[in-house]
Amino acid sequence: MRLKYQSPTGMHDILDREYKYFRKIYDVVENITNFYNFKKIETPILEETELFSKGIGVATDVVQKEMFSLKTKGGDSLTLRPEGTAPVIRAYLERGMQSFPKPVKLWYFGPYFRYERPQAGRFRQFWQFGFETIGEESPAIDAEIVLITYSILKALKLEKITIEVNSIGAGCCRPYYKKLLSGYFKSKIISLCANCRKKTRDNPLRILDCKEEKCQRVVAQGPQTIDHLCKICRRHFKEFLEFLDELELPYHLNPYLVRGLDYYTKTVFEFFSESESKELAGISKNSLAGGGRYDGLVKLLGGKDTPAIGLAAGVDRIMELMKQGPIRFSPKLKPQIFLIQLGSLAKRKSLKLMERFRKVKIPIAESLGRDSLRTQLKIADKIGVKYALIFGQKEALEGKIIIRHMTTGKQEIIKLEKLTKEIQKRLKK
Ligand code: HAM
């Protein structure tokens, strides 16, 4: 039966067992980023549309096709954040972080929105965690970001993680490489898909990560970025790889990795899991995390020339993989006590009684909506508690309560003030 109201296409609830995985990811990320001295940041879910079109690039798929944008009643054009880097840099500039000691290290965890065609591991509302290190150009930091991400995925017990890395150069060498690439693709235009044909002049880098087989054949014969890096970019990349070697991380060079956002410079990387499970085939093709350097973004958004680097990971994709992994959560402790209340006075005093149990950390079940002794005893029996507490009108007036052993049926009256101590004693036995 189709319900009248369903969650919007590509958006889903997170609850129960899933929420445990979600929470576990949060805790691991918080723990590891704390260790590496990142500070938490929460930015608004909406930002000015121009922050994204300028920051991410007007020619990118995200800006051209995937933004949820709206006009406010006051006429402002706002967009549900499709990613976290541009908002973090906006906050860095707006909140005076340019004058903070460098580097400024920030991490985040929250929902993001892209109007994509929903499929396995691809949603319209998805969750990311990410971190950004602003104000440091050393390749050691590039390696640190890769190491932190790897450590998080390992702590979540994900297996067979691979890391793809590349360098796409910067203002010093990329324009020349772009020109070279554009000339090459123009000479092969009839062998490209319709979408890539449009990109040969203005956006030839984007053709490198086209998934069409015929385009990939053309790309494989074409010039590669790493052969056309300037001296500075080449040295940066070489040192970055030396750090990865030292850390013995499972990386490999992917000369066609360019990433889908325009702000990247020099180092770029993506994380994948090579799951063999058929159900996860769709997710495994997609990256679990991706990032890189963006040394020009702070200036582009109005700040001083400042190097920066970061990464974001897809929480929904990680959760799917975790469900197949070894992490299991022990079920919540079942209550051993059930509170049966009879009559209006007892019912009124019951909430206060429950609070006393919460304070001594004894889980207790109740059914405050029921009135009959028989029904409440039945529920207590079904839950399988050891003791039922029977709290009637008479007991409530006298400040007493009955403790009933559920298997023997033996009952005892005790004073209310002694109740939690008595229960603690009995449960310990
Ligand atoms: P991104 O590659 O666009 O990078 O996204 C990062 C991760 O978010 C992806 O690897 C994927 O796991 C997840 N993700 C992206 N789109 C979806 C979707 N529609 N459904 C589910 N998961 C998705 C960025 O967002 C950059 N801001 C990363 C960065 C930070 N670069 C530097 N600093």
Side-chain angles (χ1 to χ4, degrees):
M1 185 188 74
R2 201 188 135 79
L3 288 172
K4 190 163 178 206
Y5 298 110
Q6 295 188 320
S7 64
T9 307
M11 304 191 181
H12 57 261
D13 309 303
I14 301 172
L15 73 163
D16 203 23
R17 189 168 87 98
E18 277 207 306
Y19 200 82
K20 295 202 167 133
Y21 288 105
F22 183 83
R23 191 66 220 184
K24 173 84 186 166
I25 299 173
Y26 188 96
D27 291 344
V28 166
V29 176
E30 181 176 51
N31 204 293
I32 296 183
T33 48
N34 262 344
F35 176 82
Y36 283 97
N37 295 309
F38 283 80
K39 300 260 182 301
K40 179 81 194 290
I41 181 165
E42 299 267 4
T43 62
I45 290 189
L46 287 161
E47 295 274 0
E48 271 181 54
T49 301
E50 200 190 312
L51 175 72
F52 299 116
S53 51
K54 188 149 190 187
I56 301 172
V58 275
T60 57
D61 277 356
V62 171
V63 171
Q64 284 201 343
K65 305 182 200 156
E66 296 169 4
M67 297 211 297
F68 283 91
S69 298
L70 57 94
K71 267 242 161 8
T72 65
K73 288 189 180 123
D76 296 330
S77 173
L78 301 182
T79 291
L80 280 172
R81 59 185 189 188
E83 62 100 50
T85 310
V88 165
I89 298 302
R90 193 265 312 131
Y92 169 83
L93 295 172
E94 189 177 341
R95 304 299 297 265
M97 287 186 252
Q98 288 204 91
S99 59
F100 287 12
K102 300 282 179 316
V104 172
K105 298 168 100 178
L106 300 165
W107 77 280
Y108 47 90
F109 193 114
Y112 293 83
F113 304 85
R114 294 184 193 175
Y115 193 83
E116 298 198 73
R117 201 158 59 81
Q119 47 194 288
R122 193 168 292 276
F123 307 104
R124 289 187 178 166
Q125 176 176 336
F126 56 98
W127 290 74
Q128 279 188 346
F129 66 79
F131 21 87
E132 316 289 347
T133 299
I134 309 157
E136 180 56 78
E137 62 186 351
S138 162
I141 304 301
D142 306 32
E144 184 184 75
I145 298 280
V146 173
L147 172 68
I148 295 171
T149 311
Y150 187 73
S151 306
I152 290 171
L153 298 178
K154 281 314 249 187
L156 294 171
K157 306 269 183 285
L158 299 192
E159 289 304 325
K160 298 199 179 150
I161 301 297
T162 56
I163 309 164
E164 298 192 352
V165 301
N166 193 21
S167 174
I168 54 168
C172 34
C173 44
R174 192 154 4 123
Y176 169 71
Y177 174 66
K178 244 172 124 174
K179 220 164 125 187
L180 204 72
L181 207 56
S182 169
Y184 169 72
F185 285 133
K186 275 186 197 151
S187 73
K188 304 277 176 194
I189 200 149
I190 47 167
S191 313
L192 295 174
C193 73
N195 205 5
C196 285
R197 282 180 197 178
K198 289 186 227 146
K199 296 178 183 163
T200 51
R201 203 169 66 96
D202 298 327
N203 219 354
L205 279 169
R206 262 318 79 74
I207 302 177
L208 295 181
D209 59 3
C210 174
K211 301 284 177 284
E212 292 270 342
E213 217 178 283
K214 60 189 205 177
C215 298
Q216 282 179 0
R217 273 199 297 273
V218 177
V219 165
Q221 306 294 321
Q224 298 188 349
T225 62
I226 41 172
D227 295 330
H228 298 90
L229 295 178
C230 67
K231 228 165 139 187
I232 295 172
C233 289
R234 188 172 319 131
R235 196 173 62 229
H236 186 97
F237 192 50
K238 189 172 156 275
E239 286 176 20
F240 164 64
L241 297 183
E242 282 164 6
F243 277 110
L244 296 189
D245 286 334
E246 183 68 32
L247 291 164
E248 295 179 46
L249 292 175
Y251 76 89
H252 69 264
L253 200 73
N254 174 358
Y256 308 115
L257 181 65
V258 283
R259 310 266 308 128
L261 313 167
D262 273 357
Y263 49 60
Y264 290 109
T265 53
K266 295 185 181 161
T267 320
V268 286
F269 30 75
E270 277 184 0
F271 285 69
F272 292 86
S273 160
E274 285 172 6
S275 172
E276 275 138 27
S277 143
K278 265 200 206 123
E279 301 139 58
L280 296 176
I283 292 168
S284 302
K285 274 200 313 276
N286 294 321
S287 63
L288 288 181
R293 259 199 182 275
Y294 49 93
D295 290 347
L297 186 61
V298 176
K299 192 168 177 199
L300 183 73
L301 296 181
K304 293 184 209 136
D305 209 356
T306 312
I309 179 161
L311 168 136
V315 172
D316 310 77
R317 292 181 189 175
I318 293 174
M319 256 164 38
E320 272 319 299
L321 290 174
M322 279 174 78
K323 285 185 205 159
Q324 317 289 317
I327 294 187
R328 293 280 170 272
F329 296 98
S330 40
K332 214 174 121 197
L333 273 187
K334 259 188 14 193
Q336 292 297 312
I337 314 288
F338 190 94
L339 174 63
I340 294 173
Q341 39 66 42
L342 306 160
S344 55
L345 181 63
K347 197 188 279 266
R348 264 207 314 277
K349 289 184 181 281
S350 288
L351 288 174
K352 227 175 179 172
L353 204 56
M354 300 278 298
E355 269 296 284
R356 280 177 56 195
F357 279 95
R358 186 186 63 76
K359 284 182 183 147
V360 293
K361 297 193 172 60
I362 298 178
I364 176 166
E366 43 67 33
S367 184
L368 291 179
R370 311 290 159 107
D371 294 324
S372 111
L373 176 64
R374 231 169 76 101
T375 319
Q376 292 183 73
L377 268 176
K378 254 193 189 159
I379 302 172
D381 196 42
K382 214 167 157 192
I383 296 175
V385 296
K386 208 161 170 190
Y387 298 101
L389 307 175
I390 304 172
F391 197 32
Q393 184 80 358
K394 182 166 172 286
E395 288 78 23
L397 278 170
E398 292 174 358
K400 292 182 180 158
I401 195 159
I402 301 167
I403 302 181
R404 177 190 171 97
H405 193 286
M406 286 300 284
T407 34
T408 62
K410 205 174 145 213
Q411 298 194 163
E412 219 178 300
I413 303 177
I414 66 152
K415 282 196 174 152
L416 260 184
E417 70 249 30
K418 293 198 176 138
L419 178 62
T420 50
K421 281 238 159 58
E422 177 64 26
I423 293 292
Q424 272 171 325
K425 204 167 82 196
R426 290 184 183 215
L427 289 179
K428 262 192 201 136
K429 275 188 197 157

